[in-house]
Amino acid sequence: MRTISFSLNRFLALLCLLNLLFFISYAQYPGQYTVQSKMPVTIPVKAYSFELHDVKLLDGPFKENMKRNGQWLLSISNNRLLHSWRVNAGIITNATAFGGWEKLDVELRGHTLGHVLSGLALMYETTGISSYREKADSLVTALAECQNVLNQNGYLSAFPQYFIDRCIAGQPVWAPWYTLHKVMAGLLDVYLTTNNPVALEIVNKMSYWAYDKLKVLNSNQLSVMKRIEFGGMSEVCYNLYSITGDARQKDLAGMFYDEAVMDPLARQEDKLEKLHANTQIPKMIGAARGFELTGETKQNTIATFFWNTVQEHHTFANGGNSDVELFFGADKLSEHLSPQTTETCNTYNMLKLTRHLFTWTADAKYADYYEQALYNHILASQDPTTGMVSYFMPSKPGLFKVYSTPDNSFWCCVGTGFENHAKYNEAIYYHDDKGIYVNLFIPSELNWKARGVKIIQKTSFPEEPVTHLEIQTPREIEMPVYLRYPKWTSATATVKINGKKVSVSHKPGSYITLNRKWKNGDKIEVTYPMALRMIPTNDNVHKVAFAYGPVLLAGQMGTVGLQNPAPYANDQNDFNNYNVPSDVVSTLMTKGSAITSWLKPSEGQALEFKTIGVAAHEITMIPFYKLHGERYVLYWDLQ
């Protein structure tokens, strides 16, 4: 019997190991899909993502944004989206092209369809509603027809192949590889969420065409080509390689390694000044993915150093970065408070990179940043009236958010917006082989099928500093729950289990570990004290933003001069030079006094504050994510 028991134990241990390897094989691509991978992750992983369908959003602002996003996605005409693709393939079409960046004479045409595919895939995975899958499948079928009719060795696009030739030759052209990346990523997302084999077949053919196109180029020719923005081509090729195991796709990913930008980062040198910001961030996501699949430490250094550099030296209070779409010199935020700060696409990509780095380390600093950018940029970027989204978040005092239009914008940030507001559930929870990380305090329900455990989180956070978690389990289970202890917490957190207070010895910026045997119905209540705080620019302590706990506050400056069609725009720059009324106040005469002496909570209004005696008139400050359709001030001069 001892021999049989030992063999059984060895078998069970091997089974657990294989199960863990399976988790590793899919959990990092891109963290929310189950897919049998031929090329598993080769690095140690400390935290695994849950699949989107395992985390259900409950009522709250995130779910409301998600619903508006889904309605917009379903309302978009497939025939209009496909018009430029069919025109390029020579297929008869009686539709009309969308406006803005999707016009037939715009070289970036076609990028939106890729984002729509990803958005539909994410919405289907998040909600299970079949209409998202059906719409995506219809688009995939149409793209397969375009690819077959083109009959160019797998090439597929809304523009002719000579755009790629111009890119290779170093001739002016607007980012053809960028657009191809979007549709390749969208097709792959559809395959992973709906198991549509046609989607995978199309994207594989595209990758083989690209490999054959580029394999004959020498390093100098590739370097010339990579001067033009190419999006996340390395990332999507690594993702394909992880699924198929085809070395051509891995080699293709390597062809998009940009030595000019990434080698200095490998040496831990900040050479980002004057570089187009969102051209660079997807390269770092590709490096992160490459590190996971190859174990090449250089790629780890690149991704990690870049993230640290951007977060510590280039990031505004809302979690975004860049001015006029460019990185500027390190620690010069106060010099760049303009109409064109914090492009939303940049934050979309920074959050993707952040998720990779968190899974490697389970370091709370990544979750802290994720929360900062999620609430103060992504959540803030959607218009609650129409569901339209913002490109820039102006930091010049007295300006306002500018939103897209339903038919005549289709900027890059419209595309990433389709994804941003479909996957709010991606980073609320993670797990290791023992327990669950609770990273975000968003009303939600987690179903960890592998352990037979559910967690229901109910909260009105951040309007209240408390969140409630209920454990549901059919049997008693020993499991740690790791509660993020936010860096912004102003006093010791309070934790109660089933109404009884437990001691907290951890510090903000870490995790509170609750390790015990949980019974069905056990309840956790955790309170993180919030306080008003100042966020000075990193080069001028007298130029500051204000926050309450995690929430960036904006000073309301009214609607003077905002007439229709503002703040909706066909071009994201339409209102950059809009006049600012003379009565907009951005200087506060605080004389060095404590913030709580002159900024007071409004009675009966959560997260609303009013100034007292420091300006020509009282100023009301509310969360930036709640401010829409009016002027605002984010950064203030203190005197």
Side-chain angles (χ1 to χ4, degrees):
M1 286 295 295
R2 289 181 63 184
T3 302
I4 294 174
S5 176
F6 178 70
S7 299
L8 180 60
N9 288 339
R10 289 186 64 183
F11 172 76
L12 292 174
L14 178 61
L15 188 62
C16 289
L17 177 60
L18 290 172
N19 186 52
L20 178 59
L21 288 174
F22 175 72
F23 266 124
I24 293 175
S25 73
Y26 80 79
Q28 285 302 110
Y29 171 63
Q32 53 218 14
Y33 307 124
T34 303
V35 56
Q36 186 63 57
S37 172
K38 292 186 178 180
M39 301 305 299
V41 167
T42 61
I43 65 168
V45 175
K46 291 189 176 180
Y48 302 100
S49 302
F50 285 98
E51 299 175 68
L52 289 182
H53 65 249
D54 287 335
V55 182
K56 177 184 176 182
L57 290 180
L58 302 179
D59 290 343
F62 291 99
K63 186 175 180 179
E64 292 168 6
N65 271 25
M66 182 189 71
K67 285 182 175 179
R68 282 187 288 267
N69 182 61
Q71 291 167 356
W72 188 12
L73 278 166
L74 291 177
S75 73
I76 295 173
S77 164
N78 278 16
N79 284 332
R80 294 191 69 183
L81 273 176
L82 289 161
H83 182 64
S84 57
W85 298 77
R86 287 169 169 159
V87 168
N88 188 53
I91 298 173
I92 294 175
T93 168
N94 59 4
T96 56
F98 283 114
W101 289 14
E102 287 297 331
K103 288 181 180 178
L104 281 176
D105 61 351
V106 173
E107 291 177 340
L108 206 71
R109 61 187 180 269
H111 74 111
T112 299
L113 191 150
H115 285 297
V116 167
L117 286 172
S118 290
L120 292 168
L122 293 165
M123 287 296 299
Y124 174 66
E125 181 76 356
T126 294
T127 67
I129 296 174
S130 60
S131 53
Y132 297 114
R133 184 195 68 237
E134 292 162 2
K135 185 177 180 72
D137 286 346
S138 175
L139 289 169
V140 168
T141 299
L143 288 176
E145 180 187 18
C146 290
Q147 190 178 49
N148 290 334
V149 172
L150 274 171
N151 193 27
Q152 296 180 16
N153 299 318
Y155 177 75
L156 173 65
S157 186
F159 48 75
Q161 192 172 162
Y162 66 75
F163 279 26
I164 298 293
D165 297 332
R166 284 162 54 189
C167 185
I168 291 171
Q171 299 171 354
V173 63
W174 194 7
W177 286 115
Y178 171 97
T179 300
L180 292 185
H181 159 248
K182 303 310 172 193
V183 74
M184 290 174 73
L187 287 163
L188 198 52
D189 285 341
V190 171
Y191 166 69
L192 291 165
T193 55
T194 71
N195 199 31
N196 183 326
V198 178
L200 182 61
E201 181 182 0
I202 296 171
V203 72
N204 273 331
K205 287 180 179 178
M206 293 178 73
S207 73
Y208 301 145
W209 160 82
Y211 175 79
D212 290 338
K213 185 86 172 178
L214 300 186
K215 70 180 181 180
V216 297
L217 303 183
N218 60 39
S219 59
N220 288 335
Q221 290 173 306
L222 287 172
S223 294
V224 169
M225 180 190 76
K226 287 180 286 193
R227 293 172 187 168
I228 295 175
E229 184 176 9
F230 53 80
M233 279 299 301
S234 57
E235 177 202 12
V236 73
C237 292
Y238 275 128
N239 287 335
L240 277 170
Y241 167 65
S242 74
I243 294 169
T244 68
D246 192 317
R248 289 175 293 177
Q249 292 162 335
K250 174 177 173 288
D251 292 344
L252 181 59
M255 294 177 195
F256 287 95
Y257 176 89
D258 189 355
E259 295 86 354
V261 172
M262 302 175 82
D263 282 355
L265 293 167
R267 299 190 297 268
Q268 301 191 47
E269 299 171 0
D270 179 359
K271 302 290 187 181
L272 299 178
E273 185 174 5
K274 297 182 181 180
L275 292 180
H276 185 259
N278 200 46
T279 295
Q280 316 315 323
I281 307 172
K283 299 173 187 176
M284 310 310 148
I285 301 169
R289 190 65 180 131
F291 170 59
E292 290 163 359
L293 293 172
T294 69
E296 184 182 353
T297 57
K298 178 181 178 181
Q299 305 229 57
N300 180 2
T301 300
I302 290 168
T304 302
F305 178 75
F306 176 86
W307 188 94
N308 287 333
T309 299
V310 172
Q311 200 277 331
E312 294 171 9
H313 303 290
H314 298 269
T315 297
F316 292 89
N318 71 337
N321 59 71
S322 77
D323 180 23
V324 199
E325 303 191 19
L326 304 177
F327 285 123
F328 44 82
D331 301 321
K332 294 184 178 180
L333 293 181
S334 72
E335 301 176 18
H336 292 272
L337 302 179
S338 85
Q340 295 169 280
T341 46
T342 64
E343 182 183 353
T344 306
C345 278
N346 297 19
T347 301
Y348 158 87
N349 278 313
M350 282 297 293
L351 291 182
K352 288 183 70 173
L353 179 60
T354 299
R355 276 169 47 76
H356 284 280
L357 271 57
F358 177 78
T359 59
W360 305 348
T361 64
D363 190 326
K365 74 176 183 180
Y366 297 115
D368 281 343
Y369 169 74
Y370 196 102
E371 178 185 66
Q372 174 192 2
L374 182 69
Y375 278 92
N376 301 313
H377 197 170
I378 302 303
L379 185 64
S381 68
Q382 189 197 82
D383 174 27
T385 302
T386 64
M388 300 299 103
V389 296
S390 293
Y391 192 110
F392 297 117
M393 289 292 180
S395 56
K396 179 181 177 180
L399 287 184
F400 43 88
K401 298 175 184 177
V402 175
Y403 298 105
S404 57
T405 61
D407 297 322
N408 292 303
S409 302
F410 293 106
W411 316 317
C412 52
C413 297
V414 172
T416 53
F418 290 133
E419 300 178 45
N420 281 329
H421 307 294
K423 58 188 181 78
Y424 285 128
N425 48 343
E426 72 174 4
I428 303 173
Y429 308 99
Y430 293 82
H431 70 90
D432 59 17
D433 57 346
K434 296 178 181 178
I436 293 172
Y437 291 89
V438 181
N439 272 9
L440 299 174
F441 314 117
I442 294 174
S444 53
E445 181 179 307
L446 166 68
N447 184 6
W448 191 7
K449 298 184 183 72
R451 298 294 301 274
V453 176
K454 289 185 179 181
I455 291 183
I456 298 175
Q457 182 172 188
K458 295 182 178 179
T459 182
S460 58
F461 181 92
E463 295 196 352
E464 294 181 348
V466 61
T467 192
H468 303 269
L469 302 162
E470 180 179 327
I471 309 293
Q472 293 187 351
T473 174
R475 66 188 70 83
E476 192 176 83
I477 183 172
E478 186 169 356
M479 178 186 74
V481 175
Y482 314 108
L483 302 173
R484 183 172 66 89
Y485 197 167
K487 191 78 172 178
W488 49 257
T489 308
S490 60
T492 303
T494 300
V495 178
K496 296 179 181 179
I497 298 177
N498 297 328
K500 295 182 179 180
K501 189 174 179 179
V502 299
S503 62
V504 175
S505 58
H506 306 77
K507 300 295 182 184
S510 66
Y511 283 90
I512 300 169
T513 301
L514 305 177
N515 197 358
R516 57 178 277 154
K517 288 185 177 180
W518 301 96
K519 297 178 180 179
N520 189 49
D522 280 348
K523 293 179 174 61
I524 303 168
E525 177 187 299
V526 57
T527 302
Y528 298 114
M530 298 182 186
L532 287 166
R533 58 191 178 94
M534 292 192 291
I535 308 174
T537 55
N538 49 19
D539 57 329
N540 184 349
V541 295
H542 301 293
K543 182 84 71 173
V544 304
F546 302 123
Y548 183 72
V551 178
L552 177 64
L553 299 176
Q556 294 179 284
M557 292 293 156
T559 60
V560 173
L562 295 189
Q563 300 175 354
N564 193 46
Y568 303 98
N570 292 333
D571 189 289
Q572 72 275 15
N573 293 303
D574 278 350
F575 300 103
N576 289 346
N577 298 315
Y578 225 54
N579 291 331
V580 174
S582 59
D583 62 347
V584 167
V585 175
S586 60
T587 299
L588 303 176
M589 308 300 292
T590 65
K591 299 179 181 179
S593 56
I595 187 173
T596 52
S597 68
W598 52 266
L599 189 57
K600 301 289 187 179
S602 298
E603 186 175 349
Q605 298 294 322
L607 300 179
E608 180 179 294
F609 302 84
K610 291 184 182 295
T611 62
I612 299 175
V614 293
H617 57 80
E618 286 188 356
I619 298 167
T620 301
M621 297 191 191
I622 65 171
F624 186 48
Y625 72 79
K626 288 187 173 185
L627 189 147
H628 301 278
E630 65 177 307
R631 300 178 184 275
Y632 60 80
V633 175
L634 290 179
Y635 279 94
W636 309 80
D637 290 303
L638 299 188
Q639 294 185 6

